[in-house]
């Protein structure tokens, strides 16, 4: 395509079906902690 | 739902529900205003061609329109929101993370401390090993099938009660095998009491360590002062540097220097750069959340300046990418491909559900920021109690349970903000703190722009 370049291969929808195992780090978004944007976290699911 | 924005010369379009990020040209960007998401026709409607034919060649308009349609067909643009059904399935989870308030006391008096300079609206108190041990048992008991457990040593200042930290770590490690669990310890410290022995222990046992310092000496010392009013920069900086150096060869490499910026240092990019110059490459500097009447509080008025500073920082990071002076700014870290699943993103903060805080008395609260607000007490480690009704309330606090989040383009990056801030500033855990939302959205825009810029350069 000439007018658009897609820079990732995200497939959030697929991940919804396969995900949710709950083994990844609990996150806190508050300024007083190791606050983070959830989107940078690592997935820890064993088999994807 | 899409979100489009212009930043740093880039035209960026996010497709919210699929997570796709598109870098587009101006024509594509303009046309998006006119296409009807609900009724996307196969061929470009004549009124769109007419509207733009003064600015762009007609063939280009039609070609671009066709690209929009094909991205839509690939479910990468205007993709449908079908997450509601997942959100409805978000039932309470096992508890797997705990914030242990090892010391309700502190040797600093930081002006912006949310914890009432360590006392949490109570009195100064250290946690006993008895309580720490009962808390570990409580966590194991409530974690059900979860394997990875997280334990954060928090305060006040946890180094004021370091012997108990060591005892608790030893006790928890001994429980790993019999219960088939893996503990990950983390600690947050102001650094004043760090010595070789503590550095050694922290680097050996803690999978992450958070070192609190605000940046430049004058910025840090203005707010992070000792009981007698003197600043702490000169004491802590060399200790943090020592810890970081020693950590490089250790079992765990994760650490952060983390600071808070306030109204006093809206040029906080300078603090980030200062921390980098002092040898740190994992840096987090975050906006203070405070009552607007506080002199250091950030308010709506400050946003334009803060936004400009985020943009400046983003540009510096693009310049430095791939060079020796590259660093990580925690709030701009975003993984566009391999990030967490959408389920995780529906409910970012685990507070009161998979995460709890325990006070020196053994009382259980939804998280560290609820401690001291008695109405929110959820149980006690000695009788294993846990308020299941409260837990269900927090479990339902997904981005689809929060009206404003449901309609927010940033929902899958932010995941709904901080429930404690929502409670404190808007009286309802389902109503996000507006100022924090504005800041979060700006950070996400900058973080994605950095990715776009790096993709362009590659
Ligand atoms: S570990 Fe991965 S799949 Fe499991 S909940 Fe976390 S992000 Fe989702
Ligand atoms: S930015 Fe605010 S409204 Fe948007 S998802 Fe986050 S908390 Fe919700
Ligand atoms: S409520 Fe706020 S402070 Fe508490 S865990 Fe969630 S994001 Fe962190």
């Amino acid at each position: 395509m000439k007018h658009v370049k897609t820079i990732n291969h995200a497939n959030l929808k697929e991940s919804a079906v396969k995900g949710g195992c709950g083994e990844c780090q609990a996150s806190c978004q508050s300024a007083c902690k190791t606050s983070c944007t959830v989107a940078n976290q690592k997935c820890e699911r064993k088999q994807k | 739902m899409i979100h489009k924005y212009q930043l740093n010369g880039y035209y960026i379009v996010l497709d919210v529900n699929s997570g796709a990020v598109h870098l587009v040209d101006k024509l594509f960007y303009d046309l998006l205003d006119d296409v009807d998401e609900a009724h996307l026709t196969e061929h470009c409607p004549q009124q769109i061609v007419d509207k733009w034919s003064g600015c762009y060649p007609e063939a280009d308009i039609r070609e671009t329109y066709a690209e929009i349609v094909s991205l839509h067909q690939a479910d990468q643009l205007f993709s449908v929101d079908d997450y509601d059904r997942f959100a409805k399935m978000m039932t309470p989870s096992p508890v797997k993370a705990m914030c242990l308030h090892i010391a309700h006391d502190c040797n600093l008096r930081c002006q912006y401390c949310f914890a009432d300079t360590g006392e949490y609206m109570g009195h100064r108190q250290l946690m006993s090993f008895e309580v720490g041990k009962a808390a570990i048992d409580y966590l194991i008991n409530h974690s059900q099938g979860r394997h990875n457990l997280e334990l954060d040593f928090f305060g006040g200042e946890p180094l004021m009660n370091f012997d108990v930290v060591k005892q608790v770590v030893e006790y928890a490690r001994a429980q790993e095998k019999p219960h088939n669990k893996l503990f990950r310890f983390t600690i947050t410290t102001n650094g004043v009491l760090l010595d070789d022995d503590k550095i050694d222990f922290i680097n050996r046992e803690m999978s992450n360590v958070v070192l609190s310092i605000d940046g430049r000496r004058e910025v840090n010392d203005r707010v992070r002062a000792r009981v007698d009013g003197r600043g702490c920069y000169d004491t802590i900086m060399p200790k943090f540097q020592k810890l970081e150096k020693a950590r490089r060869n250790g079992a765990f490499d994760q650490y952060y220097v983390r600071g808070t910026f306030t109204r006093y240092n809206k040029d906080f990019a300078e603090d980030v750069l200062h921390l980098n110059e002092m040898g740190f490459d994992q840096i987090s500097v975050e906006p203070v959340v405070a009552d607007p009447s506080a002199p250091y509080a950030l308010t709506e008025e400050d946003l334009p300046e803060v936004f400009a500073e985020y943009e400046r920082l983003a540009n510096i990071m693009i310049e430095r990418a791939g060079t020796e002076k590259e660093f990580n700014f925690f709030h701009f870290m975003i993984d566009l491909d391999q990030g967490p699943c959408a389920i995780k993103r529906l409910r970012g903060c685990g507070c009161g559900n998979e995460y709890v805080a325990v006070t020196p008395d053994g009382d259980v609260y939804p998280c560290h920021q609820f401690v001291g607000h008695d109405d929110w007490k959820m149980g006690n480690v000695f009788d294993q109690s846990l308020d299941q009704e409260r837990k269900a309330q927090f479990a339902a606090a997904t981005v689809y349970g929060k009206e404003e989040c449901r309609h927010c383009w940033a929902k899958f990056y932010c995941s709904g903000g901080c429930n404690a801030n929502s409670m404190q500033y808007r009286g309802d855990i389902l109503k996000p703190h507006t100022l924090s939302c504005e800041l979060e959205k700006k950070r996400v825009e900058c973080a994605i722009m950095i990715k776009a810029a790096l993709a362009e350069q590659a």
Side-chain angles (χ1 to χ4, degrees):
Chain A
M1 290 201 231
K2 271 169 62 185
H3 305 271
V4 49
K5 179 168 152 189
T6 303
I7 65 168
N8 65 345
H9 306 281
N11 203 328
L12 270 185
K13 293 195 174 183
E14 214 171 276
S15 78
V17 180
K18 291 191 197 154
C21 72
E23 285 296 348
C24 52
Q25 207 186 337
S27 44
C28 168
Q29 288 124 298
S30 143
C32 56
K33 271 243 165 164
T34 44
S35 119
C36 69
T37 297
V38 175
N40 87 39
Q41 280 195 263
K42 282 193 208 95
C43 172
E44 301 213 19
R45 198 182 144 88
K46 296 256 156 56
Q47 299 114 9
K48 287 206 206 177
Chain B
M1 191 194 310
I2 62 163
H3 174 64
K4 58 171 207 160
Y5 65 102
Q6 255 186 74
L7 191 59
N8 205 13
Y10 296 104
Y11 295 95
I12 298 170
V13 179
L14 313 179
D15 184 52
V16 174
N17 296 316
S18 70
V21 178
H22 309 289
L23 199 52
V24 306
D25 65 8
K26 184 154 189 317
L27 168 56
F28 194 110
Y29 192 83
D30 285 338
L31 280 197
L32 284 174
D33 287 338
D34 298 309
V35 299
D36 181 354
E37 158 163 15
H39 308 97
L40 204 58
T41 51
E42 200 189 327
H43 297 289
C44 188
Q46 193 56 41
Q47 73 262 32
I48 294 184
V49 178
D50 294 344
K51 177 174 170 191
W52 293 104
S53 56
C55 311
Y56 304 104
E58 186 176 330
D60 286 2
I61 297 171
R62 293 192 187 280
E63 182 180 68
T64 306
Y65 185 90
E67 292 186 6
I68 291 175
V69 172
S70 88
L71 275 181
H72 173 61
Q73 282 163 352
D75 215 22
Q76 299 273 290
L77 193 67
F78 303 123
S79 58
V80 196
D81 185 343
D82 51 10
Y83 292 104
D84 220 6
R85 62 196 168 107
F86 294 108
K88 290 209 177 82
M89 295 173 350
M90 302 283 282
T91 47
S93 320
V95 180
K96 63 159 185 199
M98 181 179 272
C99 179
L100 209 53
H101 289 227
I102 205 81
H104 272 190
D105 196 359
C106 191
N107 40 16
L108 292 182
R109 295 289 178 269
C110 307
Q111 290 176 31
Y112 46 53
C113 184
F114 81 93
D116 186 26
T117 64
E119 293 188 42
Y120 286 90
M121 291 62 93
H123 54 281
R124 303 200 174 266
Q125 189 185 0
L126 302 180
M127 182 180 281
S128 67
F129 174 59
E130 276 330 291
V131 173
K133 181 169 173 283
I136 296 293
D137 295 339
Y138 183 94
L139 177 55
I140 291 172
N141 180 22
H142 286 281
S143 66
Q144 300 167 26
R146 290 285 190 265
H147 178 66
N148 297 327
L149 304 184
E150 298 152 43
L151 193 79
D152 188 33
F153 293 100
F154 203 63
E157 172 49 39
L159 298 195
M160 293 178 82
N161 195 13
F162 204 65
D163 288 338
V164 175
V165 171
K166 286 179 166 171
Q167 285 175 292
V168 170
V169 167
E170 191 189 353
Y171 178 73
R173 284 278 181 242
Q175 309 310 308
E176 287 182 316
K177 258 224 182 95
H179 297 278
N180 187 27
K181 303 286 177 188
L182 176 72
F183 274 98
R184 283 185 184 141
F185 302 106
T186 53
I187 193 164
T188 301
T189 178
N190 65 28
V192 174
L193 292 177
L194 273 178
D195 57 26
D196 289 348
D197 176 60
K198 295 192 182 85
I199 289 177
D200 189 57
F201 185 85
I202 288 172
N203 284 349
R204 204 169 58 236
E205 292 288 357
M206 308 278 165
S207 67
N208 195 356
V209 49
V210 180
L211 310 171
S212 303
I213 184 167
D214 284 353
R216 292 163 291 178
R217 179 187 283 109
E218 63 277 16
V219 168
N220 183 81
D221 287 356
R222 178 167 186 182
V223 182
R224 301 187 67 81
R226 296 166 196 264
V227 182
D228 65 9
R230 282 178 304 139
C232 64
Y233 180 98
D234 289 328
T235 307
I236 62 176
M237 179 52 94
K239 295 181 180 188
F240 286 166
Q241 287 172 317
K242 193 168 190 183
L243 183 150
E244 187 275 330
K245 247 204 197 108
R247 202 166 172 81
R248 286 182 209 165
N249 316 316
F252 304 106
D253 58 353
Q254 246 198 333
Y255 78 93
Y256 286 97
V257 284
R258 76 158 300 281
T260 301
F261 71 87
T262 69
R263 186 159 216 202
Y264 300 148
N265 60 318
K266 285 182 267 181
D267 58 346
F268 58 90
E270 293 306 315
D271 295 290
V272 173
L273 296 179
H274 175 75
L275 291 169
N276 183 231
E277 259 149 45
M278 298 310 281
F280 303 102
D281 60 3
Q282 304 295 323
I283 304 168
S284 174
V285 173
E286 331 193 1
V288 70
V289 178
D291 191 278
S293 64
Y296 52 79
L298 291 164
T299 62
E300 204 78 24
E301 252 169 50
D302 301 311
L303 286 179
E305 262 175 282
V306 172
F307 286 178
E309 192 68 356
Y310 273 129
E311 287 180 24
R312 191 166 78 89
L313 182 61
N315 274 311
I316 295 171
M317 290 181 66
I318 295 168
E319 270 166 36
R320 292 192 178 187
T323 73
E324 249 173 37
K325 290 172 97 182
E326 183 174 39
F327 59 87
N328 245 332
F329 179 63
F330 206 26
H331 268 160
F332 285 169
M333 282 164 67
I334 212 161
D335 187 338
L336 294 179
D337 286 316
Q338 308 288 326
C341 68
I343 303 296
K344 170 81 178 175
R345 293 169 192 241
L346 289 174
R347 190 174 58 200
C349 154
C351 120
N353 179 35
E354 53 179 19
Y355 172 71
V356 294
V358 175
T359 69
D361 286 323
D363 287 333
V364 176
Y365 283 87
C367 86
H368 55 291
Q369 285 223 50
F370 284 91
V371 169
H373 300 270
D374 286 348
D375 304 351
W376 292 88
K377 195 162 102 178
M378 288 180 74
N380 187 282
V381 295
F382 287 110
D383 60 12
Q384 298 291 321
S385 56
L386 181 61
D387 183 339
Q388 296 297 336
E389 225 168 280
R390 264 281 188 250
K391 196 163 182 296
Q393 183 191 357
F394 280 108
T398 68
V399 287
Y400 284 78
K402 301 176 184 182
E403 202 46 34
E404 286 152 72
C405 300
R406 169 189 281 268
H407 303 291
C408 171
W409 64 264
K411 59 187 168 191
F412 294 126
Y413 301 97
C414 160
S415 302
C418 167
N419 289 331
N421 288 163
S422 306
M423 178 273 291
Q424 204 164 356
Y425 293 100
R426 296 195 54 202
D428 183 344
I429 62 164
L430 300 179
K431 294 203 171 114
H433 179 235
T434 323
L435 193 73
S436 298
C437 293
E438 293 310 311
L439 291 163
E440 169 70 0
K441 286 188 276 191
K442 185 66 191 181
R443 287 190 298 257
V444 171
E445 287 189 348
C446 287
I448 292 176
M449 184 277 288
I450 294 175
K451 292 283 183 204
L454 297 179
E456 268 298 270
Q457 283 172 13

